């Protein structure tokens, strides 16, 4: 270890040959995946190379000290891993996005609502479009239509009542 601490590449290679197989076995037991275990051992070897000067032979054997470095590397990798479904299981997962039928039904519903809105008188259509489509306030709509907020309330009430009648068949379809 003193040669490794001094930067001796050959000493590090020799030490690696002794430590690698047992460390890989330990890492595989902890991580359960050979590729992850190999990565953890590589990380541990890099740390051993960088911190070799800290090794104290009176406190532990090299193998014991390195095993602790490997375990810590495994723990770090385990924390960093995000669980994922195996690809075979992911293949069978359904998308949360609406299917083609739902998309088409939604587009048809939106088209029917749009057509019903277009049949409203102009001022009611403008009020309902500004309120629900643009999120405008009563005051903003009143200003745009050159009227009062109270009049806008009336326009919206009449527009809602008219739309409710026009869209009654759609409501019955959706509830069925």
């Amino acid at each position: 270890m003193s040669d490794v601490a001094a930067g001796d590449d050959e000493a590090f290679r020799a030490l690696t040959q002794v430590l690698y197989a047992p460390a890989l076995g330990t890492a595989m037991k902890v991580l359960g995946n050979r590729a992850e275990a190999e990565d953890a051992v590589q990380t541990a070897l890099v740390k051993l190379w960088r911190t070799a000067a800290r090794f104290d032979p009176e406190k532990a054997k090299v193998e014991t000290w390195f095993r602790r470095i490997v375990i810590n590397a495994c723990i770090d990798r385990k924390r960093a891993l995000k669980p994922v479904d195996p690809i075979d299981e992911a293949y069978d997962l359904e998308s949360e996005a609406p299917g083609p039928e739902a998309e088409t039904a939604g587009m048809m519903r939106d088209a029917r609502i749009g057509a019903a809105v277009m049949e409203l008188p102009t001022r009611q259509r403008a009020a309902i479009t500004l309120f629900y489509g643009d999120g405008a306030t009563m005051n903003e709509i009143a200003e745009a239509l050159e009227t009062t907020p109270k009049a806008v309330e009336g326009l919206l009430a009449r527009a809602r009542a008219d739309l409710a009648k026009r869209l009654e068949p759609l409501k019955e379809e959706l509830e069925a």
Side-chain angles (χ1 to χ4, degrees), residues 1-175:
M1 274 303 288
S2 59
D3 291 342
V4 173
D8 185 341
D9 290 345
E10 287 302 318
F12 181 69
R13 279 191 200 93
L15 187 58
T16 298
Q17 287 178 344
V18 171
L19 298 176
Y20 188 82
L24 182 61
T26 300
M28 285 189 55
K29 289 174 187 163
V30 173
L31 295 170
N33 177 297
R34 184 174 182 91
E36 291 296 327
E38 288 173 351
D39 287 347
V41 172
Q42 289 298 320
T43 300
L45 285 168
V46 169
K47 184 161 187 173
L48 179 137
W49 174 256
R50 290 182 179 160
T51 62
R54 292 188 207 161
F55 174 70
D56 184 354
E58 293 184 19
K59 290 185 178 178
K61 294 191 311 187
V62 173
E63 293 84 356
T64 306
W65 184 66
F66 184 63
R67 186 178 308 118
R68 186 72 240 160
I69 295 171
V70 170
I71 294 294
N72 287 337
C74 289
I75 290 169
D76 291 345
R77 287 199 75 73
K78 208 58 160 155
R79 286 181 185 148
L81 291 176
K82 304 286 186 242
V84 295
D85 290 329
I87 193 69
D88 294 338
E89 292 176 25
Y91 178 78
D92 293 331
L93 293 176
E94 290 185 30
S95 170
E96 293 181 17
E101 298 87 13
E103 285 277 333
T104 302
M107 289 180 357
M108 291 175 64
R109 182 187 65 243
D110 292 349
R112 288 172 70 182
I113 292 170
V117 169
M118 291 306 292
E119 292 175 5
L120 292 172
T122 306
R123 290 178 64 79
Q124 287 179 16
R125 184 172 60 233
I128 205 131
T129 301
L130 288 169
F131 189 74
Y132 290 105
D134 295 348
T137 66
M138 295 288 182
N139 289 335
E140 292 169 335
I141 297 168
E143 188 177 310
L145 297 178
E146 297 178 341
T147 189
T148 65
K150 191 73 172 162
V152 171
E153 288 177 22
L155 286 170
L156 288 172
R158 288 190 298 281
R160 287 185 199 111
D162 194 356
L163 284 173
K165 286 181 198 170
R166 293 175 192 270
L167 296 173
E168 185 67 33
L170 181 61
K171 180 181 175 185
E172 291 169 7
E173 286 176 31
L174 291 174
E175 291 175 351

